[in-house]
Amino acid sequence: MEAKAVAKFVRISPRKVGVVLDLIRGKDVKYAEAVLKHTPKAACEPLIKLLKSAMANAENNHDMDVSRLYIAECNATAGPILKRIRPRAQGRAFRINKRTSHITLVLKEQED
């Protein structure tokens, strides 16, 4: 049995989210929550919210034991890119890509 939570259109680059996801992949949920609270990265805030959502899904929808959960899978894929223009010298324009992410978190119960 697995519990899943997805956050779509998060306004942070998938590359930046991936750095934080590598810290918690395969870890216990309590340990992962502590790591996210004490890591000074912008991606930690939406990831804590997503982790709590996945834990609630596991407990309420699938009747899983929260104390035995671990992060089985986690990934961040690219969402749509918000394209913006920045004026440059001599009448030129420079494109700024504001990237978004779709973050997926899958929790499973540990086998004894």
Side-chain angles (χ1 to χ4, degrees):
M1 186 63 77
E2 63 181 32
K4 185 177 179 182
V6 180
K8 291 192 168 199
F9 308 105
V10 179
R11 227 338 249 119
I12 188 165
S13 167
R15 187 173 175 178
K16 292 178 182 177
V17 177
V19 170
V20 181
L21 287 177
D22 289 341
L23 294 174
I24 63 170
R25 187 174 285 116
K27 303 289 194 287
D28 183 62
V29 289
K30 293 297 177 188
Y31 177 80
E33 192 173 7
V35 167
L36 291 174
K37 281 184 180 175
H38 294 88
T39 303
K41 293 280 190 181
C44 290
E45 192 173 324
L47 283 177
I48 288 174
K49 190 173 179 180
L50 187 63
L51 179 61
K52 288 183 179 181
S53 174
M55 289 167 62
N57 289 344
E59 186 176 16
N60 297 318
N61 299 345
H62 303 293
D63 295 323
M64 298 166 80
D65 184 13
V66 177
S67 62
R68 298 177 58 215
L69 293 176
Y70 72 99
I71 299 173
E73 299 173 34
C74 56
N75 62 4
T77 57
I81 298 172
L82 305 173
K83 297 174 178 83
R84 301 294 181 257
I85 301 296
R86 178 155 179 86
R88 302 300 286 183
Q90 299 178 0
R92 293 184 176 91
F94 184 77
R95 177 180 274 171
I96 295 176
N97 292 327
K98 295 180 178 268
R99 300 184 185 276
T100 60
S101 302
H102 299 321
I103 308 168
T104 306
L105 208 59
V106 177
L107 303 180
K108 290 185 181 178
E109 271 187 318
Q110 292 174 339
E111 304 295 326
D112 284 336

